[in-house]
Amino acid sequence: MMNIFRHFRLFSVLMLLSLSVQAMTFKAQKVTDGVYAYVGPTDDRTPENLGLNNNIGFIDTPKGWVLVDSGAGEAAAQKLEAIAKGIKKQPIIAVINLGSQDHRWLGNDYFSKQGAKIYAYQGTVKTQSKFFNQEVANLVKKVPALKGIKMKTADIVLTQPHNTLNIGGVEMHLNFYGDGHFPGDCALWLPKQKVLFTGDLVYVDRILGVHPWSNPITWEQAYHKMRKLPAQFIVPGHGRVTDWKQADAETGAYLTKLNQTMKAAAEEMLGVDEAVNQNRDWPAFKHLKHYKSWHPANLNRTYLKWEASM
């Protein structure tokens, strides 16, 4: 009986270890022909996920891979490189930064040293430079393996809100619709493939986050401008690869209600505490991960943004 018990305990430990290894597997899924996405976990940055708790794109071109964002530092970038070369052994020729949050661009230095050209909109570059020291300090506390990050912004800085690119023979459109989660957040549209990489303008499966530097007013406006694209495949900033129906329900509708409700509360001079207390329970969004922690903060910051604008 003791031997059976020991074998059972050993089996249980091995199963737990197996699940742990599976949980840390870094891989991409096919979105459509020539386009892939790494879909990160919807939890915070951890030593296990190397700060890759967001989504990253991989575009196959005749001349090599184009990455949509570069990960959170060298160790994370190396994982992304391994993912790309595991799909097809070819060089990574370019990286397009959609945003300024740590896991979207702090791998730039690594890929630049491998010969890739870095592309970004000028507003994104400005925010990256402003937030670099703060982001690195916070990131390394959570993921010590990422220490030693060096700042590398775009080699090719795009100055127009709408930019048509041809990289490796593939047409791409890097578009700025308005400040969102971070100032300078952009989206990448692949018209032939009907794929839209939204960056942090869209969250699904988890609730979006309004930081003190976010602008929920222009974020909603940006969403509705971007919504006009005939995308069949949407790779959001966080959450599963999806479509407009889910994006509308979990990002578009939330941003609209957030702004309409907090604007009305600010116009009535309700006060931020009362505005938050009256709106804690929004059943349509309670299924989203991190609702309890982020929703009150989103209400608070959106109210203050509207109050300051009046």
Side-chain angles (χ1 to χ4, degrees):
M1 182 65 73
M2 287 297 292
N3 285 336
I4 293 173
F5 179 68
R6 289 194 186 111
H7 284 307
F8 177 76
R9 287 183 62 188
L10 178 60
F11 176 77
S12 299
V13 169
L14 290 173
M15 284 296 293
L16 287 171
L17 288 172
S18 174
L19 289 170
S20 177
V21 170
Q22 289 177 14
M24 292 185 290
T25 298
F26 295 86
K27 61 182 181 179
Q29 67 182 74
K30 183 176 180 179
V31 177
T32 189
D33 290 345
V35 183
Y36 301 80
Y38 162 81
V39 177
T42 53
D43 293 312
D44 198 2
R45 299 151 187 78
T46 66
E48 290 74 25
N49 64 39
L50 294 174
L52 288 171
N53 64 329
N54 61 319
N55 297 345
I56 304 286
F58 302 81
I59 304 168
D60 185 10
T61 82
K63 293 186 178 180
W65 287 110
V66 175
L67 266 57
V68 184
D69 291 324
S70 63
E74 183 169 322
Q78 288 174 338
K79 289 291 184 184
L80 298 176
E81 180 182 50
I83 290 172
K85 294 189 175 181
I87 302 169
K88 185 177 181 180
K89 293 188 183 301
Q90 61 180 358
I92 294 169
I93 61 170
V95 173
I96 300 174
N97 292 159
L98 299 187
S100 311
Q101 198 165 20
D102 50 12
H103 44 213
R104 302 213 168 274
W105 74 285
L106 292 181
N108 284 0
D109 183 60
Y110 176 79
F111 288 114
S112 178
K113 289 176 180 176
Q114 313 309 308
K117 291 292 184 184
I118 314 298
Y119 294 72
Y121 172 62
Q122 63 180 0
T124 309
V125 173
K126 180 179 179 181
T127 307
Q128 289 172 347
S129 300
K130 178 180 178 180
F131 280 84
F132 174 73
N133 290 330
Q134 174 185 333
E135 288 186 346
V136 171
N138 291 335
L139 178 62
V140 172
K141 288 178 184 176
K142 296 178 179 180
V143 190
L146 296 174
K147 64 182 178 181
I149 295 169
K150 295 180 180 178
M151 184 166 72
K152 175 70 178 87
T153 55
D155 302 299
I156 301 169
V157 180
L158 302 163
T159 59
Q160 301 302 312
H162 299 281
N163 303 276
T164 300
L165 308 173
N166 187 304
I167 306 176
V170 175
E171 182 182 347
M172 312 175 193
H173 296 254
L174 182 64
N175 297 332
F176 171 71
Y177 297 103
D179 294 336
H181 188 57
F182 273 65
D185 279 349
C186 290
L188 186 71
W189 169 234
L190 307 183
K192 182 179 179 181
Q193 297 87 346
K194 303 296 182 186
V195 176
L196 177 63
F197 292 94
T198 71
D200 287 330
L201 293 174
V202 173
Y203 284 55
V204 299
D205 301 325
R206 61 149 295 173
I207 199 163
L208 61 82
V210 177
H211 289 292
W213 50 82
S214 304
N215 190 327
I217 301 172
T218 54
W219 189 346
E220 182 195 356
Q221 295 166 356
Y223 180 86
H224 290 295
K225 291 175 186 175
M226 182 177 64
R227 180 64 178 83
K228 296 175 184 178
L229 294 171
Q232 294 180 10
F233 308 97
I234 294 174
V235 183
H238 297 269
R240 78 189 86 172
V241 177
T242 189
D243 54 22
W244 279 123
K245 181 179 180 181
Q246 186 181 15
D248 286 343
E250 298 182 0
T251 292
Y254 183 75
L255 284 168
T256 297
K257 184 167 184 176
L258 194 62
N259 280 299
Q260 288 179 350
T261 305
M262 292 298 101
K263 179 184 179 183
E267 287 174 341
E268 294 172 12
M269 296 186 287
L270 194 62
V272 64
D273 292 339
E274 185 59 26
V276 171
N277 288 333
Q278 288 187 13
N279 288 280
R280 288 182 181 275
D281 186 20
W282 285 5
F285 307 104
K286 291 178 77 171
H287 67 287
L288 297 174
K289 198 165 187 179
H290 309 304
Y291 172 88
K292 287 185 179 179
S293 57
W294 270 104
H295 180 57
N298 294 344
L299 294 168
N300 180 298
R301 290 165 181 159
T302 303
Y303 179 95
L304 294 176
K305 181 67 72 173
W306 275 108
E307 185 179 55
S309 72
M310 294 176 179

